[in-house]
Amino acid sequence: MDSPQTRKAGLNLPTGMSETSLRLESFSGSFRAISNLSSPSKSSTCSDRFIPCRSSSRLHTFGLNDKASPVKEGGNEAYARLLKSELFGSDFGSFSPAGGGGGVPSPLSPSKNMLRFKTDHSAPNSPYSPSILRNDSGFSNESLTPPKPPRKVPKTPHKVLDAPSLQDDFYLNLVDWSSQNVLAVGLGTCVYLWSASNSKVTKLCDLGPNDGVCSVQWTKEGSYLSIGTNLGRVQVWDGTQCKRVRTMGGHQTRTGVLAWNSRILASGSRDRNILQHDLRVSNDCISKLVGHKSEVCGLKWSTDDRELASGGNDNQLLVWNQHSQQPALRLTEHTAAVKAIAWSPHQSGLLVSGGGTADRCIRFWNTTNGHQLNSIDTGSQVCNLAWSKNVNEIVSTHGYSQNQIMVWKYPSMGKVATLTGHSMRVLYLAMSPDGQTIVTGAGDETLRFWNVFPSVKTHTPVKDTGLWSLGRTQIR
């Protein structure tokens, strides 16, 4: 039993221990008193120490970092940093190997908020973050946007026309589509018109046994058609009345390429010259542009009619302005004939050109300063180029050795589609007035119609109608 003296002091001491054995220890001249050891006060709500239960605590929300484990040899440190950043927050997302150490990661700088309480972003029913690339990991919101599905382009033509006697000649331009939806095709010595609205075929002219059709080109209004002949003449026909309006000379040999702007018709020939014709004057030509050293096979006016680009079998691409008889630019990077030329309808001064079999490249030019912007090796002879007016995309047709049609996004030059079907070089290309359909021609004597571009409003491929029913008919 406890002695009365012990009970009086109010202390419960173990047996054999006297109150005199308890003493106060001093620290630096001050005393630390311990009172009320016998029973804690009922009014006290906090104790001096608290030991949590680790199994029920979420210590990671306090930003406490456990001792880092050694990094395994060959481990993915970048993935580990990203994962730690997602699990513990950005304070622990950046580590660097300890100097001279064995690869143990250490913080780049001590955090000023090491014990700051952090909000738990995890959902109650899931231990995982909703996104491995959420905003607080340093990535932009653009990465959260799902990528657009690629636009689907039909892989087969929706119509095929037989075109007997369509020549397999790289330097000729025998197909053009007018703004009034009429297709002109040069077959041998004749020119045929095919109406896309009712599939009606009309024979426009026959040049006779001593001549042949080398090029066709509609005016921008689509009412007049110019024809370049094998004898070097240029004829102009009224397409609605099937009546010849005028014949102009000036070239010494075949006229293989034609190009209209609003008022001027430019013609290129094997005689290496470019002639400019104006139907409002009586002279056959108003100017001659001399600059190529071999046959002129490519001609295109810019969309504002201020510049004329010409390509030749001398591997040169020349750019002429309205008021000069000398080329403003002489671009010589191509290593083969330049037939394929197109101006961007979306950006002023942007020109694209394609080289023949020995070059195979599509090159982009800034005609303001003459700089080459980009070059893409297509792997095949580039026969034609056309820039979509509905979207910023380009279509190219090819010869040796793939004989394919390719659709590209600009400026990334990612491939949208690759179309095959022709058995010979795809030498001819024209685009419908609505900008959605292209027609291609080849030495296999077929014309094939493809839906490759979306419309301006809906940005979806055009649908086939009864007039475009899949089938094979003749154009003459």
Side-chain angles (χ1 to χ4, degrees):
M1 294 182 63
D2 296 335
S3 65
Q5 186 178 5
T6 303
R7 283 195 302 270
K8 185 177 181 181
L11 297 177
N12 295 325
L13 301 177
T15 304
M17 183 176 181
S18 64
E19 185 178 358
T20 58
S21 63
L22 295 176
R23 57 189 179 89
L24 299 177
E25 296 181 6
S26 62
F27 296 90
S28 303
S30 62
F31 296 95
R32 177 179 297 174
I34 303 176
S35 61
N36 296 330
L37 294 179
S38 60
S39 63
S41 173
K42 293 182 180 180
S43 61
S44 174
T45 58
C46 298
S47 61
D48 59 340
R49 295 178 65 193
F50 171 71
I51 301 176
C53 177
R54 293 183 180 272
S55 62
S56 62
S57 300
R58 294 182 296 171
L59 297 181
H60 68 278
T61 61
F62 289 88
L64 297 175
N65 186 29
D66 293 334
K67 183 178 180 181
S69 59
V71 178
K72 295 182 179 180
E73 183 178 357
N76 192 333
E77 296 183 9
Y79 174 77
R81 288 196 299 269
L82 178 62
L83 184 60
K84 182 158 290 188
S85 174
E86 291 300 317
L87 293 177
F88 299 111
S90 59
D91 290 343
F92 297 94
S94 301
F95 292 92
S96 62
V104 179
S106 62
L108 293 175
S109 60
S111 174
K112 296 180 180 180
N113 297 316
M114 180 63 73
L115 299 179
R116 175 176 58 86
F117 184 81
K118 298 183 179 181
T119 303
D120 186 3
H121 295 284
S122 302
N125 58 349
S126 172
Y128 304 106
S129 171
S131 170
I132 198 169
L133 297 177
R134 67 178 187 266
N135 292 341
D136 60 3
S137 61
F139 293 89
S140 64
N141 289 331
E142 295 178 0
S143 62
L144 303 179
T145 305
K148 271 188 174 182
R151 179 166 57 83
K152 293 184 178 180
V153 176
K155 298 294 185 180
T156 57
H158 58 75
K159 190 171 186 64
V160 179
L161 290 178
D162 280 331
S165 302
L166 185 62
Q167 296 188 56
D168 182 31
D169 192 327
F170 177 80
Y171 300 99
L172 304 186
N173 295 270
L174 298 175
V175 178
D176 195 33
W177 204 332
S178 79
S179 59
Q180 296 186 12
N181 212 16
V182 178
L183 189 70
V185 184
L187 301 176
T189 63
C190 301
V191 174
Y192 291 86
L193 306 181
W194 180 81
S195 174
S197 58
N198 55 23
S199 297
K200 181 182 177 181
V201 178
T202 303
K203 183 178 178 179
L204 178 68
C205 66
D206 188 341
L207 301 182
N210 299 323
D211 208 346
V213 180
C214 295
S215 55
V216 293
Q217 181 73 36
W218 289 100
T219 60
K220 289 189 175 182
E221 296 77 18
S223 55
Y224 290 91
L225 178 70
S226 57
I227 302 171
T229 75
N230 194 53
L231 296 178
R233 299 189 182 100
V234 176
Q235 297 183 5
V236 179
W237 287 73
D238 186 332
T240 57
Q241 299 182 9
C242 295
K243 180 180 178 181
R244 186 172 62 186
V245 175
R246 188 168 177 181
T247 299
M248 296 171 288
H251 289 296
Q252 303 302 315
T253 182
R254 71 178 185 182
T255 305
V257 61
L258 299 165
W260 282 96
N261 68 9
S262 300
R263 303 177 306 275
I264 305 298
L265 171 63
S267 60
S269 171
R270 184 182 273 179
D271 64 11
R272 301 172 295 179
N273 297 326
I274 300 170
L275 299 182
Q276 299 196 52
H277 314 270
D278 192 337
L279 297 184
R280 300 170 297 177
V281 301
S282 58
N283 296 336
D284 283 352
C285 68
I286 59 174
S287 66
K288 178 189 290 188
L289 304 179
V290 180
H292 285 284
K293 299 177 181 179
S294 188
E295 181 172 9
V296 181
C297 52
L299 275 180
K300 286 290 170 61
W301 286 98
S302 61
T303 54
D304 58 6
D305 293 345
R306 295 183 178 181
E307 294 178 298
L308 175 66
S310 64
N313 198 29
D314 56 0
N315 308 344
Q316 291 190 96
L317 175 66
L318 306 183
V319 179
W320 315 76
N321 59 41
Q322 285 181 319
H323 309 293
S324 175
Q325 301 298 310
Q326 297 297 321
L329 291 175
R330 190 180 294 270
L331 308 171
T332 60
E333 278 76 1
H334 283 291
T335 58
V338 182
K339 177 193 178 186
I341 300 172
W343 291 89
S344 170
H346 310 289
Q347 183 177 340
S348 177
L350 178 57
L351 177 67
V352 60
S353 60
T357 308
D359 184 77
R360 306 187 307 267
C361 290
I362 296 176
R363 302 177 189 270
F364 295 87
W365 313 90
N366 181 345
T367 60
T368 304
N369 53 27
H371 292 167
Q372 180 175 280
L373 304 176
N374 195 8
S375 177
I376 302 295
D377 189 341
T378 66
S380 297
Q381 176 189 41
V382 184
C383 301
N384 291 280
L385 289 165
W387 215 303
S388 170
K389 62 183 180 181
N390 298 347
V391 290
N392 203 6
E393 295 179 0
I394 300 167
V395 60
S396 60
T397 70
H398 300 269
Y400 302 125
S401 58
Q402 301 298 321
N403 303 330
Q404 61 190 355
I405 301 142
M406 303 180 74
V407 183
W408 312 79
K409 279 188 175 295
Y410 185 81
S412 67
M413 291 306 288
K415 293 181 184 178
V416 178
T418 300
L419 310 175
T420 57
H422 285 290
S423 59
M424 297 181 69
R425 297 181 296 175
V426 189
L427 297 176
Y428 310 111
L429 170 68
M431 190 176 297
S432 63
D434 63 7
Q436 301 179 66
T437 304
I438 62 169
V439 59
T440 56
D444 58 13
E445 298 186 341
T446 63
L447 297 172
R448 298 172 185 263
F449 295 81
W450 315 79
N451 288 332
V452 295
F453 295 122
S455 64
V456 178
K457 295 182 180 179
T458 62
H459 284 246
T460 56
V462 294
K463 296 182 179 179
D464 295 347
T465 63
L467 297 176
W468 298 103
S469 59
L470 180 62
R472 191 168 182 137
T473 58
Q474 286 195 349
I475 198 172
R476 70 172 187 180

